[in-house]
Amino acid sequence: MKKNQLLTRRQALYLGLGTFVGIGALTAEELLNSFNQNQSFADTNRSFNIAGANPLKERAAKKGLIYGTSTTKFSLSLDTQHAAAIVKDCDMLVPGWEFKWTAGSANLRPDAENFDFSQADWMFDFATTHNMSTRGHTLVWHESLPKWFKETVNKQNAQQLLEKHIERVVGRYAGKIHSWDVVNEAISVSDGLPNKLRKTPWLNSLGPEYIDLAFRLTAAADPDALLVYNEKGLDYDDQIYDQRRAAVLKLLERLKSQGTPIHALGTQAHLSPGNNKFNPEKLRQFFRDVASLGLKIMITELDVSDKYLPRDIAIRDRIVAATYEDYLSVVLDEPAVIAVITWGLSDKYTWLNEFAPRQDGKPSRPLPLDTQMQRKLAWNAIARAFDNAPKR
Ligand code: XIL
């Protein structure tokens, strides 16, 4: 799109600039600049230039950070170019399906009695072979539960089911896993329960203590792993995000005060520009509050959805890159942040095409590499954020 080309009304709305549409068409540049002011981005002439071509893992490691990505056996075993790109850029691997109860083509828990570790072992072996650490994701979640689970679990057998799962899964890799997302997404403001806990089969069968229990079982099964509480929707500035951050902080305070063996907060950071307000100071304060509890912080599922951005790829890529750099430049100022994991490395395998597709049906472009494993402006933005981050 040319800078002086008029955007359609629809594109202006995409930019979250509905208020501007009424004043007649603006040029692409005028709208993008308004978008940037509206979204508190730096100027759109940002160069995204970087020094050198060294990989993201090296730039992160120079600052005492770990950079990694999630992926699946499906996309690694069938796509050698993709596998090579991950080995080149990443120091950590997060199996996106294989350590869940069931997800995609993986089925760790075929029934209440048995485990199928074949795909989890394959992913662990791939990481180890390529000198990458592994994150376990995730032991206790309300999603990715096999059909038999909800038909089987009840107040009488839930604790035994949880104990067996954690002892077998965590125990199998004990001493060899960097960190476990022990509990994922336990907070739901809209569920309206005390402490804003989410209505899950775990809460229903074990009560609020299921969270502490899961951490204690995991610590017993692997005293070396970093134990993480992982949560989504902590990034932006509006009431629901304020409430969620407050509820997560209260949960972390409660867990720490009762001696739960928890070591870090994982913030998923699925970012979505053009549809949210970004408030750097609020985010800094939240990270300071978490760190003041003696917890580390991991950015565990970072990606930037272009769902609400214009069709034009050049504009989309610029806004996605600016979002990465603006977010990381804020969070990496917090010394407690130890790792940045993107939820995928290449657009070819982003979950967003399925879970948050664009209305125009165009493929999403949320990640550092394009579908041909070529570096995008987003790659440069992450590289710059690491290069400019304070050393841990
Ligand atoms: C997603 C995977 O990327 C998909 O492939 C899968 O079908 C569903 O789960 N938050 C999480 C992740 O904690 O486990 C989810 O991953 C994305 C949202």
Side-chain angles (χ1 to χ4, degrees):
M1 172 173 298
K2 309 269 185 312
K3 279 204 285 193
N4 58 1
Q5 181 179 342
L6 299 184
L7 291 191
T8 64
R9 178 185 176 80
R10 177 188 292 269
Q11 282 165 327
L13 289 170
Y14 273 161
L15 275 168
L17 299 175
T19 46
F20 291 89
V21 173
I23 53 174
L26 296 166
T27 65
E29 187 175 34
E30 287 164 330
L31 267 178
L32 196 58
N33 286 332
S34 348
F35 175 90
N36 286 333
Q37 273 112 47
N38 179 21
Q39 299 291 322
S40 75
F41 287 116
D43 66 273
T44 46
N45 300 320
R46 205 181 308 190
S47 66
F48 294 109
N49 289 339
I50 52 168
N54 44 327
L56 294 177
K57 66 184 180 184
E58 281 180 24
R59 297 170 191 261
K62 256 192 207 139
K63 301 304 175 70
L65 288 160
I66 299 168
Y67 171 69
T69 189
S70 81
T71 190
T72 65
K73 175 173 180 289
F74 173 78
S75 68
L76 283 175
S77 53
L78 294 180
D79 189 335
T80 51
Q81 197 193 12
H82 178 234
I86 285 182
V87 170
K88 179 177 178 184
D89 256 332
C90 302
D91 263 340
M92 180 176 279
L93 195 70
V94 185
W97 292 344
E98 296 75 9
F99 279 25
K100 291 172 178 171
W101 287 60
T102 187
S105 57
N107 193 14
L108 177 64
R109 296 301 314 272
D111 57 51
E113 298 312 314
N114 295 294
F115 296 76
D116 175 358
F117 287 107
S118 58
Q119 297 213 27
D121 286 350
W122 190 96
M123 290 297 278
F124 179 79
D125 293 343
F126 179 93
T128 309
T129 304
H130 295 97
N131 302 315
M132 298 166 81
S133 58
T134 301
R135 299 211 65 232
H137 174 82
T138 176
L139 297 168
V140 178
W141 192 27
H142 60 285
E143 304 272 7
S144 294
L145 290 172
K147 193 171 174 306
W148 63 261
F149 182 90
K150 291 181 182 174
E151 295 157 1
T152 307
V153 73
N154 56 48
K155 292 185 192 312
Q156 287 67 44
N157 65 15
Q159 177 153 343
Q160 182 264 339
L161 206 60
L162 181 61
E163 286 168 353
K164 182 175 180 178
H165 184 78
I166 291 178
E167 283 158 13
R168 288 290 307 277
V169 176
V170 176
R172 186 180 185 85
Y173 307 99
K176 299 181 276 186
I177 292 280
H178 171 273
S179 50
W180 276 103
D181 285 336
V182 178
V183 175
N184 193 29
E185 301 178 0
I187 295 294
S188 167
V189 173
S190 56
D191 280 1
L193 291 183
N195 296 325
K196 296 197 170 43
L197 289 178
R198 181 184 298 278
K199 286 179 188 158
T200 76
W202 297 108
L203 182 72
N204 297 340
S205 52
L206 289 168
E209 290 318 300
Y210 83 91
I211 299 172
D212 173 71
L213 174 62
F215 276 91
R216 290 182 189 278
L217 291 169
T218 308
D222 185 354
D224 298 329
L226 201 73
L227 306 189
V228 182
Y229 172 73
N230 198 45
E231 188 58 79
K232 65 181 176 182
L234 301 172
D235 320 300
Y236 286 112
D237 179 13
D238 81 13
Q239 199 183 29
I240 189 87
Y241 285 92
D242 291 344
Q243 291 178 14
R244 206 179 285 122
R245 282 189 290 265
V248 165
L249 209 48
K250 281 201 172 8
L251 171 63
L252 297 175
E253 286 165 351
R254 273 200 312 279
L255 293 172
K256 287 295 286 182
S257 67
Q258 64 190 46
T260 303
I262 177 172
H263 310 121
L265 168 70
T267 174
Q268 294 181 13
H270 291 295
L271 305 180
S272 180
N275 191 37
N276 292 293
K277 254 180 35 220
F278 181 59
N279 182 325
E281 270 327 297
K282 267 194 182 177
L283 197 59
R284 286 181 196 280
Q285 187 55 56
F286 174 65
F287 275 46
R288 277 195 292 267
D289 292 345
V290 172
S292 71
L293 296 174
L295 295 172
K296 296 296 184 190
I297 301 169
M298 299 181 77
I299 315 299
T300 51
E301 305 183 16
L302 180 61
D303 53 18
V304 179
S305 169
D306 59 4
K307 176 172 182 166
Y308 299 104
L309 301 184
R311 192 190 190 98
D312 180 88
I313 284 178
I315 291 185
R316 264 199 264 165
D317 281 2
R318 295 193 64 73
I319 294 171
V320 165
T323 305
Y324 273 114
E325 188 167 40
D326 289 351
Y327 176 81
L328 288 173
S329 66
V330 168
V331 300
L332 294 181
D333 274 351
E334 171 49 64
V337 174
I338 59 170
V340 174
I341 310 292
T342 48
W343 205 246
L345 184 65
S346 162
D347 294 340
K348 185 173 179 181
Y349 297 105
T350 177
W351 71 302
L352 293 174
N353 278 327
E354 181 185 349
F355 285 83
R358 287 176 54 85
Q359 286 181 328
D360 61 12
K362 292 294 178 191
S364 297
R365 294 173 60 87
L367 291 169
L369 303 184
D370 67 17
T371 55
Q372 304 307 309
M373 309 307 147
Q374 298 307 303
R375 292 174 176 180
K376 295 158 59 193
L377 287 182
W379 190 98
N380 287 33
I382 295 170
R384 279 165 39 126
F386 289 150
D387 293 349
N388 295 327
K391 190 169 170 45
R392 268 79 188 130

